[in-house]
Amino acid sequence: MDEEIRYFVTYLTDVKKASRNTVMSYHSDLSKMVLYVKGQGVRSVDGITATVLNSYVLYLEKSGMAASTISRYIASMKGFFEYLVRNHRILEDPAFRLKAPKVERHVPGILSVQEMEHLLAQPSLDTPKGLRDKAMLELLYATGMRVSELVRLEVGDLNLRYGWVICRDGEKERMVPFGEKAGTALSQYVSGAREHFLKKEKIECLFLNYSGAPMSRQGFWKLLKSYAVKAGIEKEITPRMFRHSCAAHMASNGAKLGTIQEMLGYTDLTATQIYAGFQQETKTEYSRVHPRG
């Protein structure tokens, strides 16, 4: 069983190009499953039956494990056994009928479209700092990317002509579109304001601080909070709120959950289900559904 898991992990890494965190999560979940089934006297993957897996899920539930964690374990098992069937290592999928427990999903904190518009209007366009901050805020809202992805961007990741940016999450990357307003803000920053932050040493990072070093997550968080105060937004604001607001506003304008999943870089469509309540692919759909497309 350990050998099959190693093959599966290699498949996730080399073929699926899954992020390091995703691969580690699968490996951890499946290793725990193996410990259980070995304790039940099972010594090979073709000896794992639906009954064994059901008893394992029941064991997890009785141990007091959160429904969300059990759902992840089940997703890992489903992916693993589908892989084994597809590669003819087993004849039948014992996890086929496994059902994840119902997970109560809480709607994340978001800003309204009006609050977001007011916040994005705060940076001054008369200073290099204001142009930089405007570009960062507009791009974050336009793409829904993570702040860690934002601060790691390099100049070469940006395609201003076609309105795309390359986001990297670990070893995995995706191309994400952005709209006209983000494009304008980025052009103004790149064409002149960025030079104000450059020091003698050449650096490829897109967003820089006054020391000429890459903008940090903490530095971005501080400037975001200062603009929230200026905008009179009383709710506690976080960089992740931009990500949720982007997704929720797109969903409310009719975006498909698959489009949101692809844009935000979620590995599993179920991660976007929290936005389904806001519902009423491509660059074309993005322009239609994003408030600033």
Side-chain angles (χ1 to χ4, degrees):
M1 284 184 280
D2 294 328
E3 183 179 16
E4 280 82 7
I5 290 178
R6 283 197 297 273
Y7 284 132
F8 181 56
V9 166
T10 300
Y11 164 76
L12 292 174
T13 303
D14 297 344
V15 179
K16 299 296 288 183
K17 304 298 182 184
S19 69
R20 184 171 180 271
N21 286 342
T22 298
V23 173
M24 289 176 63
S25 178
Y26 270 104
H27 189 273
S28 174
D29 295 348
L30 294 172
S31 295
K32 291 172 184 175
M33 176 202 72
V34 166
L35 282 177
Y36 177 84
V37 299
K38 283 183 177 179
Q40 303 301 305
V42 179
R43 292 291 179 265
S44 63
V45 289
D46 53 9
I48 300 176
T49 64
T51 300
V52 171
L53 293 184
N54 278 318
S55 69
Y56 176 52
V57 172
L58 184 61
Y59 162 76
L60 296 176
E61 291 174 345
K62 288 184 176 180
S63 70
M65 184 174 289
S68 58
T69 304
I70 295 175
S71 295
R72 194 194 74 207
Y73 277 34
I74 291 176
S76 295
M77 289 189 286
K78 282 181 173 291
F80 176 58
F81 287 108
E82 284 174 6
Y83 164 82
L84 293 180
V85 171
R86 196 164 55 246
N87 287 273
H88 310 292
R89 294 182 178 275
I90 57 175
L91 294 177
E92 294 184 1
D93 182 354
F96 179 73
R97 297 189 182 281
L98 281 182
K99 290 186 178 180
K102 188 174 181 180
V103 179
E104 184 179 352
R105 295 186 178 273
H106 300 284
V107 177
I110 65 168
L111 295 174
S112 67
V113 173
Q114 292 75 21
E115 287 174 325
M116 184 62 75
E117 293 277 356
H118 195 39
L119 179 60
L120 293 173
Q122 296 309 309
S124 169
L125 303 185
D126 298 326
T127 66
K129 179 183 182 301
L131 290 171
R132 180 202 64 188
D133 296 350
K134 174 75 168 176
M136 294 184 77
L137 293 175
E138 287 282 4
L139 184 60
L140 194 65
Y141 177 50
T143 61
M145 68 172 67
R146 302 171 179 88
V147 175
S148 57
E149 296 170 335
L150 179 75
V151 298
R152 284 200 299 262
L153 287 177
E154 296 185 355
V155 176
D157 295 329
L158 204 59
N159 188 321
L160 290 171
R161 181 177 180 181
Y162 294 106
W164 292 90
V165 64
I166 298 175
C167 296
R168 293 183 177 84
D169 175 22
E171 298 177 358
K172 197 170 184 179
E173 65 178 43
R174 66 191 186 281
M175 291 180 64
V176 184
F178 55 81
E180 182 180 345
K181 293 185 179 180
T184 299
L186 286 163
S187 296
Q188 291 175 335
Y189 168 67
V190 172
S191 63
R194 184 174 178 273
E195 294 180 0
H196 180 81
F197 299 95
L198 282 172
K199 304 304 177 184
K200 292 182 180 180
E201 182 182 354
K202 186 177 181 181
I203 186 169
E204 294 301 319
C205 185
L206 179 59
F207 295 112
L208 307 172
N209 59 26
Y210 276 116
S211 300
M215 172 68 70
S216 66
R217 295 174 61 181
Q218 294 79 7
F220 177 79
W221 197 330
K222 287 181 181 178
L223 70 86
L224 174 59
K225 286 188 173 182
S226 69
Y227 286 127
V229 171
K230 287 181 63 177
I233 297 174
E234 296 182 357
K235 64 182 67 172
E236 182 67 24
I237 191 168
T238 66
R240 193 167 184 79
M241 196 176 284
F242 268 64
R243 182 170 168 84
H244 290 314
S245 297
C246 168
H249 295 169
M250 287 178 63
S252 67
N253 283 337
K256 300 173 184 175
L257 293 183
T259 299
I260 297 173
Q261 175 195 4
E262 185 175 349
M263 265 192 63
L264 272 62
Y266 287 126
T267 57
D268 188 349
L269 184 60
T270 59
T272 65
Q273 292 297 325
I274 54 175
Y275 306 115
F278 294 97
Q279 280 186 309
Q280 311 278 7
E281 348 203 36
T282 67
K283 176 70 173 172
T284 302
E285 183 171 355
Y286 173 86
S287 299
R288 179 177 65 82
V289 298
H290 196 286
R292 296 175 83 78

